[in-house]
Every structure is written in C-alpha cells, then in structure tokens.
Amino acid sequence: MSALLKIRAGRDQMSAIERRIADFILDNAQLLRDYSSQQLANALGISQSSVVKFCQKLGFKGYPDLKYSVGEAIARADNGDDATRPDADGEQPNGDPALELWRCKSEAQEVTRSINPPEAVEAVATAIADAGNRGKVFIIGLGEDDIHARAFALRLSLLGILTVHNFDTAHMTASVSAAHGGDVLLVFSEHGKQPALCQIGRLFRERGGTVVTVTRHSANPLRAHADLSLLVSAHDDRAHIEPLLYHSALQHLLDRVFVLLCEGGRDEQLQANMERIRPMLEG
C-alpha cells in the first residue's frame, strides 16, 4: 500500500495533531519534496518531534523515508498508474467524472481491504457460519445503515442461515431476549454512536452471543461492545461523493464475507433457494 493510502487508512485513528499532519501531506503531496521535517513542523505550528513520531507511527523509519515513499507514489501516478488523478486545480485530466468516481471507489476499497486482513474477515464468516449451523444471526441497522443490513440479511437467508432482521431498536431489544450462546448479532452503524445500538450490543453479549460491528475505521462507542469488527475507510471532501465511497467500500467488504460463506459449503443451498425463487420473480 502506498504512503498516501496508508495515511488515509489510518486517519480516523489519529490524534488531532496527527490529522493536521496527515491532511497537510494529502493536500500538498506534490510539494512535500521541498519540505524538511522542520519546515513542515513550522508550517503547521507544531514541533519537529511530532512530525517524526507521526512518520514512525505509520511504520516509516523517519521523515525522509515517508517523503521518499510519497514521492514514489506521485511518480507512479505521473507515469500513468493513476491517470484519472485530479490535477492541482481539482479538474479531471480526461474530463470524465465517471472514471474519477471509479478511481475514488477503487481507492476506498483498497484502503478498506488493507484494514480488514483476511484472518479478520474469515473470523466473521466463521462466526456467522457457526451461528447458521446451530442458532440465529440477528441483524440491525438504522437509517441508511439498514440498506446494507437488509440486503445482507437476505443473502444470509438464501444461504439457509436463519436471520432475525430489524430496523427498530425496541423490537430488536425484545428479540435479543431469545438469543443464546453461539448466536451472532451484526450491527451496522457508520459512525457507531447510537446509544440504543450500544445497549443492544451489551445485552446480546450478556446472553452469551457474539457481537460483530460494521462501522467506519474510527474509535466509537459501539466498537467497545464488539467481539469482532468490520471496518470501512472512505473519505472525500465532496459531500455528495463521500457517502458513495462508503457504500461502495462497505459492499465490497460484505461481498468478501459472503464469498467465504459460499465457499464454506453453502453454495448448493444458495443455488437451491435461487431455483425456488426464480419462478416468483419471472411470474
């Protein structure tokens, strides 16, 4: 993963000073080669040691190592590896907004993939599969989060996994009273700040179930109640673009879980259920 993607991936977990450094680098990557660590510190009004610590926290030996890595990323883009990258004025070189949107979505998916290693995704798939064998999977999401919650609940049902989907916290709280050890609760919440969802997560764990949260890659109250977490990183300064990147990266992440479930032996059940449903759709 390039230095710039690594900075974007870790931004949500950074302190206020670290975010200032990250934003400056992301906004002025082309100019970084002309800055020493002291000049960067002076531009931001912080200490030079803060810049060095920032670089080391990202896994670089120091500022020169980070600057070299950023320079490599820019050189690859200039050589055509990222032909749709905006120029300094924010215009698309090829004038095609569709290609720029595709680039942004691809980048969000790449960063999201990097912060959800295979073993983490496999752990979620295993928990869901085990719950499907001997119990239930509870799924909840509020507002726009319910779009993905509802769609994923349908997919699990097609795999023969008993799901309890709800978008009402009161009803889900009542449903959780029937949960048992081995059951799984999937909570979709982009920002993870709804107190009601935190309460449901706590109650579910008290029942012996496994809580899986699906949120942005940020420190949030909901993750404190999670046994397993799926994380999404998608950022853009344009208010109409950022939600599109979030939904795209999240969908790709859920697709990874779904594929693992299918390859775990549930593909035949999926095919059988699709055959039963097809006449209803075609009629």
Side-chain angles (χ1 to χ4, degrees):
M1 181 168 52
S2 76
L4 297 178
L5 287 180
K6 186 178 291 188
I7 291 172
R8 289 191 181 95
R11 187 184 181 283
D12 287 339
Q13 301 286 68
M14 295 178 182
S15 66
I17 290 180
E18 290 168 344
R19 284 197 296 273
R20 287 175 60 195
I21 301 173
D23 291 341
F24 184 90
I25 294 175
L26 293 173
D27 293 339
N28 302 278
Q30 294 276 7
L31 305 177
L32 198 64
R33 64 177 179 269
D34 299 324
Y35 277 77
S36 67
S37 58
Q38 185 60 64
Q39 288 172 321
L40 177 58
N42 292 341
L44 294 173
I46 59 177
S47 67
Q48 185 181 23
S49 63
S50 295
V51 174
V52 175
K53 290 178 181 177
F54 171 84
C55 299
Q56 293 173 341
K57 186 174 180 179
L58 288 174
F60 297 99
K61 295 178 182 179
Y63 178 74
D65 190 24
L66 170 65
K67 185 162 70 169
Y68 177 79
S69 183
V70 170
E72 278 193 326
I74 294 173
R76 286 195 297 270
D78 290 341
N79 287 333
D81 290 350
D82 190 3
T84 60
R85 180 175 53 83
D87 62 21
D89 297 324
E91 297 295 330
Q92 305 310 315
N94 54 16
D96 191 339
L99 285 178
E100 166 60 7
L101 179 59
W102 174 83
R103 182 195 69 82
C104 291
K105 285 186 175 182
S106 297
E107 184 177 284
Q109 290 176 13
E110 181 181 347
V111 175
T112 296
R113 184 171 62 251
S114 72
I115 60 177
N116 293 276
E119 56 271 20
V121 180
E122 289 170 7
V124 172
T126 298
I128 293 174
D130 290 345
N133 291 333
R134 62 177 187 270
K136 302 177 290 297
V137 176
F138 296 76
I139 301 179
I140 186 170
L142 307 181
E144 285 197 24
D145 292 307
D146 185 55
I147 296 173
H148 291 283
R150 184 184 299 271
F152 198 64
L154 174 59
R155 283 188 168 188
L156 295 187
S157 297
L158 290 173
L159 294 178
I161 296 175
L162 179 59
T163 62
V164 179
H165 165 254
N166 216 312
F167 54 86
D168 182 271
T169 55
H171 288 173
M172 182 57 83
T173 300
S175 298
V176 164
S177 65
H180 301 284
D183 289 345
V184 167
L185 170 66
L186 271 169
V187 187
F188 289 76
S189 177
E190 180 176 354
H191 300 289
K193 295 181 179 180
Q194 296 99 325
L197 295 182
C198 294
Q199 174 73 0
I200 290 172
R202 184 183 65 79
L203 292 174
F204 197 84
R205 294 185 71 181
E206 290 178 355
R207 301 289 299 178
T210 299
V211 176
V212 179
T213 58
V214 186
T215 70
R216 278 191 174 273
H217 183 218
S218 60
N220 59 71
L222 184 59
R223 285 180 63 188
H225 299 279
D227 298 290
L228 300 169
S229 296
L230 293 176
L231 305 170
V232 179
S233 181
H235 302 283
D236 198 282
D237 293 333
R238 295 163 292 181
H240 63 293
I241 296 295
E242 187 170 59
L244 304 181
L245 305 188
Y246 178 83
H247 290 300
S248 176
L250 173 54
Q251 186 59 60
H252 184 71
L253 179 58
L254 295 176
D255 288 346
R256 291 173 62 189
V257 177
F258 180 73
V259 168
L260 287 175
L261 290 169
C262 290
E263 294 177 347
R266 292 184 175 272
D267 52 332
E268 292 185 4
Q269 182 67 61
L270 173 64
Q271 184 63 33
N273 281 332
M274 291 301 294
E275 290 296 331
R276 295 189 186 97
I277 293 173
R278 185 170 292 112
M280 302 177 189
L281 298 177
E282 293 176 350

